[in-house]
Amino acid sequence: MNENNFGQDLEFLNAHVDTVVLQNDEGSKIVVVPAYQGRTMTSTSKGDLGNSYGYINYDAIKAGQSDPQINLYGGEDRMWISPEGGQYSVFFPPGVAMEYANWRTPRVLDTESFDLINQSEDSVSFEKNSQLVNWSGFEFDIRMNRQVILLNRESASQSLGCELGQELNVVAHESRNKLTNIGSETWKPETGLIGIWMLCMNKPSPGASLIVPFRQGNDSELGPIVNADYFGKLDESRLKIDADNGLIFFRGDGNMRSKLGLTFERVQRYLGSWDREREILSVVSFNLPDTAPHGYNNNLWEIQEKPYSGDVINGYNDGPNESGGKLGGFFELETISPALALAPQDHFTHVHRTVRMEGSRVELNQVASAVFGVDLEVIESQLP
């Protein structure tokens, strides 16, 4: 594949926006853009000449802020707010029909810059005050704080719960995303709750498979294993459920708009992907709480009977939408916080961590087996 390396992606970004580069002496680097809400755009495990792992939408960045619905610049770690759909959505103006023509990304998540408040060699912090209005007309006064940290190999190993061999190149980074109620009213379920939603955007590939562990058990107690009917039913060429190993496999080729989600009863604290063309193994993890007293926001685009019975994690594969175009061609690994009923000045922090690895297939196999319980051959056999 003829793709930009990290240095070339950094040069491209610097030609259009200001950047912050975090690096360590292990060869790991990430690039963060304050103007894009402090999102981590991409990373590398081998310096400027190494692979650039994140998805970057070059055309959107060249065009600048031009799309009233979304300016999808890309990003390996970007902040979003739930819910996207339903009567408490913050993506539809009050009372409009929930269809694509009326969908609008809040400017604070799309075109507004975050304020850089602190920076070191391996960490950078941002802050932004804003207001969101949901479909039902409730106004949220919010503060978003975001800290991005470049981790070392030892921290990545601890996060994954396994050794990372010396024949692996590794980059790991996390974001600590805090949402504070700075208004005078407590957020209540009956007027709508919001939550933190983190997205890791990846380059698509015919051989890219998302790997999603699920909690095994009785369906009557835990509910369905996966919700994958967001944009129509998927066949086994795109979605496989391995009930014996507790894994879901989902194709990430960027050619068919499709999505899956797991509820709180089924979710595990991590998910990942294996790109067999690029030979890159990725693992995303997050701070899954022990309880979620107000549930999780339901993001479906409809008036909902159960607005707090939504997903905790999502996998998304881009493809043509009802307008005939597509957002760019990518796949996402997404983690979501509970629906937040915050009193004035209360806050919640959602931690989202990404580990990327390439190198020895033997050592990649060891990591895949330790984290997901199966080796790469099994993963590759599911969606050939």
Side-chain angles (χ1 to χ4, degrees):
M1 294 183 178
N2 184 20
E3 296 177 334
N4 281 358
N5 60 33
F6 180 85
Q8 290 166 328
D9 273 347
L10 177 59
E11 182 179 7
F12 170 81
L13 290 168
N14 281 332
H16 297 275
V17 289
D18 292 333
T19 66
V20 174
V21 177
L22 306 181
Q23 58 188 325
N24 61 29
D25 57 9
E26 298 173 349
S28 299
K29 287 188 172 185
I30 63 175
V31 56
V32 182
V33 176
Y36 299 163
Q37 303 79 52
R39 75 183 70 181
T40 304
M41 290 300 293
T42 189
S43 67
T44 184
S45 62
K46 296 194 290 185
D48 286 348
L49 299 180
N51 284 321
S52 183
Y53 297 131
Y55 169 79
I56 295 175
N57 190 330
Y58 302 103
D59 290 341
I61 291 173
K62 288 177 185 176
Q65 299 175 3
S66 58
D67 193 317
Q69 291 188 294
I70 186 172
N71 293 273
L72 202 76
Y73 302 126
E76 193 169 328
D77 182 312
R78 66 185 181 93
M79 195 173 184
W80 207 241
I81 295 289
S82 68
E84 185 178 319
Q87 58 268 43
Y88 304 130
S89 168
V90 293
F91 286 77
F92 290 97
V96 304
M98 290 181 210
E99 55 192 38
Y100 189 76
N102 295 326
W103 181 78
R104 297 286 185 274
T105 307
R107 290 174 56 84
V108 71
L109 303 175
D110 186 33
T111 59
E112 293 183 1
S113 177
F114 277 28
D115 300 322
L116 194 159
I117 57 174
N118 194 31
Q119 181 181 349
S120 66
E121 188 174 71
D122 60 1
S123 175
V124 61
S125 299
F126 302 93
E127 183 172 281
K128 184 70 173 183
N129 291 349
S130 189
Q131 185 180 78
L132 300 173
V133 181
N134 69 18
W135 186 90
S136 296
F138 184 81
E139 297 181 357
F140 298 89
D141 292 302
I142 62 173
R143 175 175 297 128
M144 291 179 283
N145 289 89
R146 175 168 162 80
Q147 183 183 23
V148 178
I149 304 169
L150 178 63
L151 305 173
N152 59 23
R153 177 185 290 262
E154 181 180 356
S155 295
S157 176
Q158 291 172 354
S159 170
L160 298 177
C162 65
E163 291 297 318
L164 300 178
Q166 293 305 308
E167 294 184 39
L168 288 182
N169 295 103
V170 179
V171 60
H173 53 92
E174 73 177 30
S175 60
R176 300 175 182 175
N177 306 279
K178 184 169 74 170
L179 186 63
T180 303
N181 177 359
I182 60 172
S184 58
E185 291 186 65
T186 295
W187 302 345
K188 299 176 182 179
E190 57 266 30
T191 51
L193 303 177
I194 56 177
I196 303 163
W197 190 350
M198 300 307 303
L199 305 100
C200 170
M201 303 182 73
N202 303 266
K203 297 173 183 176
S205 164
S209 294
L210 283 71
I211 314 155
V212 184
F214 65 90
R215 183 183 169 201
Q216 295 166 290
N218 192 309
D219 289 5
S220 63
E221 296 177 0
L222 301 179
I225 291 172
V226 60
N227 173 21
D229 298 340
Y230 278 89
F231 306 110
K233 193 170 181 61
L234 301 176
D235 62 29
E236 287 197 344
S237 70
R238 293 201 162 267
L239 179 76
K240 285 275 189 72
I241 298 176
D242 181 347
D244 291 336
N245 289 305
L247 294 172
I248 301 160
F249 300 93
F250 179 62
R251 192 176 297 280
D253 60 359
N255 289 328
M256 181 178 178
R257 191 181 184 210
S258 46
K259 183 175 180 177
L260 63 78
L262 269 65
T263 63
F264 187 69
E265 290 74 23
R266 287 290 190 179
V267 76
Q268 304 279 20
R269 69 173 190 88
Y270 55 91
L271 66 161
S273 65
W274 167 243
D275 184 337
R276 65 173 176 259
E277 268 80 21
R278 299 182 180 89
E279 298 183 318
I280 297 168
L281 181 65
S282 303
V283 180
V284 166
S285 59
F286 67 109
N287 58 332
L288 177 65
D290 294 331
T291 61
H294 300 286
Y296 282 78
N297 286 316
N298 188 332
N299 294 293
L300 292 175
W301 291 14
E302 61 189 24
I303 301 299
Q304 301 156 3
E305 291 184 12
K306 299 180 178 179
Y308 303 111
S309 61
D311 298 329
V312 183
I313 62 97
N314 289 124
Y316 174 77
N317 184 51
D318 194 35
N321 57 41
E322 55 263 39
S323 69
K326 60 181 181 179
L327 294 175
F330 53 87
F331 71 86
E332 289 179 329
L333 303 169
E334 308 173 5
T335 69
I336 307 172
S337 82
L340 302 173
L342 299 180
Q345 302 307 315
D346 279 356
H347 58 82
F348 182 90
T349 299
H350 182 74
V351 180
H352 177 98
R353 184 179 299 108
T354 304
V355 183
R356 308 279 202 183
M357 294 156 281
E358 61 176 308
S360 161
R361 186 176 173 98
V362 171
E363 294 185 353
L364 287 169
N365 260 325
Q366 291 171 351
V367 175
S369 296
V371 175
F372 299 112
V374 297
D375 63 18
L376 299 178
E377 186 175 346
V378 170
I379 296 169
E380 291 169 347
S381 70
Q382 298 296 317
L383 298 172

